[in-house]
Amino acid sequence: MTVTSPMDAGPRLRVPTNRLLLGAGYMLLSALLFGIGNTAVHWAATVMDPLEVVFFRNLFSLLWMLPWALTAGAPACRAVLAERRLGPYVTRALTTLCAMSAWFYAISRIPLPTATAVSFAIPLFVAAGAALILRERVRPRRWAAIFVGLAGVTIVLRPGAAPIDLAFLALVVHCVAAAGTILQMRLLSRRDNALVIVTFLGLLVTPMALVPALFVWTWPSWSVLGGLALLGGLLTLGQLAMTKSLSLAESSAMMPYDYARLPFTAFVAWIAFGQTMDPWGWAGALVIAGSALYTMHRDAADGRKTALERAQRA
């Protein structure tokens, strides 16, 4: 049995139901792993500087990926170097480091559910970046959805209700840098598979992250190192699960399931730290999620329309 998914590129493209269900399962698994992983980041940032946590997170993620990179993935990794295609990986590593550093700093000082709700604005920044940087056509309805989503961010943060400090500004920086990373990911994934992309990310970000970490360095205990190793494994598995989901169906069909991160994170943060989010935060999260879902729906609809026009011209 097959069904037409929301991400259909054309009127005749159908995706098997089992692929959609499997993709949804991987995305939900990714949301759960990121929820647990971000809770672990919050814990780690209470015992050491967030910049040092960034370094160890990437170091252990790289160690998790090395067995594959040195065996089955070696030919694909060598091809990137032989064809001198490392430049885009370097720029993506820089934006990833910026996004990760800002995120780790923010969630060390802001309740996890609140930070997670604001991070749902990332697809809105992706849509804006696609228009401004990649010169993709964005119609007025999508711009309206973007501004509605940003209004949702102000509902969550409520300027005036509490001082907007450096942690909240870091959260906004995270959203912008993460959007830039996703836009670059679109370009890289046209040529290389997910495992190659994740491996080179670790190879490049780890030494980059070491430089700022040295300025705040303190040696962690063995128990903290064990927790950091687990953290790296959880977030790497979450990243791979998300990538696998997006390989089974396009983002417009799969990304809505990523919003399960909020209830997962809220539950884990409540169990671990007693953190909660007030009704205003949940209302703002709904506004952000609704506008982001509408933006993805318009992306899918525009893709179908473009494919239909090309088919008619052919």
Side-chain angles (χ1 to χ4, degrees):
M1 177 182 177
T2 59
V3 295
T4 304
S5 79
M7 41 63 74
D8 289 341
R12 295 181 181 177
L13 179 61
R14 293 179 177 272
V15 178
T17 305
N18 60 340
R19 286 177 63 88
L20 291 175
L21 293 176
L22 188 59
Y26 273 113
M27 188 60 74
L28 290 173
L29 175 61
S30 169
L32 176 60
L33 291 171
F34 278 126
I36 298 172
N38 285 329
T39 305
V41 169
H42 181 83
W43 160 79
T46 63
V47 297
M48 61 197 313
D49 192 278
L51 291 176
E52 202 172 350
V53 180
V54 171
F55 166 70
F56 279 109
R57 177 261 189 264
N58 286 286
L59 174 64
F60 284 113
S61 293
L62 177 60
L63 293 177
W64 283 100
M65 293 299 300
L66 271 182
W68 175 86
L70 295 175
T71 55
C77 292
R78 284 197 298 267
V80 172
L81 297 174
E83 297 171 15
R84 298 181 180 180
R85 292 187 282 113
L86 199 59
Y89 284 95
V90 173
T91 58
R92 190 206 173 210
L94 288 170
T95 56
T96 298
L97 178 60
C98 180
M100 194 178 297
S101 300
W103 174 250
F104 283 21
Y105 176 80
I107 65 175
S108 70
R109 288 160 174 78
I110 299 174
L112 276 169
T114 301
T116 301
V118 175
S119 74
F120 287 160
I122 291 173
L124 306 176
F125 287 102
V126 171
L132 299 175
I133 300 173
L134 301 183
R135 301 299 181 184
E136 294 181 5
R137 183 180 180 184
V138 177
R139 292 180 171 82
R141 285 181 295 182
R142 285 175 61 199
W143 280 116
I146 290 171
F147 287 117
V148 169
L150 295 179
V153 173
T154 65
I155 294 173
V156 175
L157 299 180
R158 296 194 308 287
I164 300 298
D165 59 12
L166 185 59
F168 286 100
L169 295 177
L171 196 54
V172 175
V173 170
H174 161 72
C175 291
V176 174
T181 298
I182 291 172
L183 290 171
Q184 293 174 86
M185 179 75 169
R186 286 184 181 180
L187 300 176
L188 289 173
S189 61
R190 295 175 183 174
R191 187 77 178 265
D192 299 316
N193 65 46
L195 289 169
V196 172
I197 294 171
V198 173
T199 299
F200 270 104
L201 182 64
L203 286 169
L204 294 169
V205 175
T206 301
M208 290 179 183
L210 177 60
V211 176
L214 290 175
F215 290 93
V216 294
W217 189 268
T218 57
W219 285 102
S221 65
W222 287 109
S223 60
V224 172
L225 273 177
L228 291 168
L230 179 61
L231 162 65
L234 283 172
L235 293 179
T236 300
L237 289 174
Q239 191 173 19
L240 289 172
M242 176 178 285
T243 305
K244 179 65 175 179
S245 172
L246 297 177
S247 72
L248 293 168
E250 290 188 8
S251 60
S252 57
M254 293 295 102
M255 287 309 293
Y257 296 101
D258 182 53
Y259 290 101
R261 265 191 304 124
L262 182 54
F264 286 153
T265 300
F267 179 73
V268 176
W270 175 66
I271 292 293
F273 306 112
Q275 294 181 351
T276 59
M277 188 165 63
D278 61 26
W280 283 104
W282 286 103
L286 289 174
V287 172
I288 297 169
S291 60
L293 289 171
Y294 176 80
T295 300
M296 286 185 285
H297 167 72
R298 293 309 312 167
D299 284 340
D302 291 345
R304 291 195 298 269
K305 182 178 180 181
T306 300
L308 179 60
E309 291 173 349
R310 288 175 179 172
Q312 290 174 341
R313 287 196 298 269

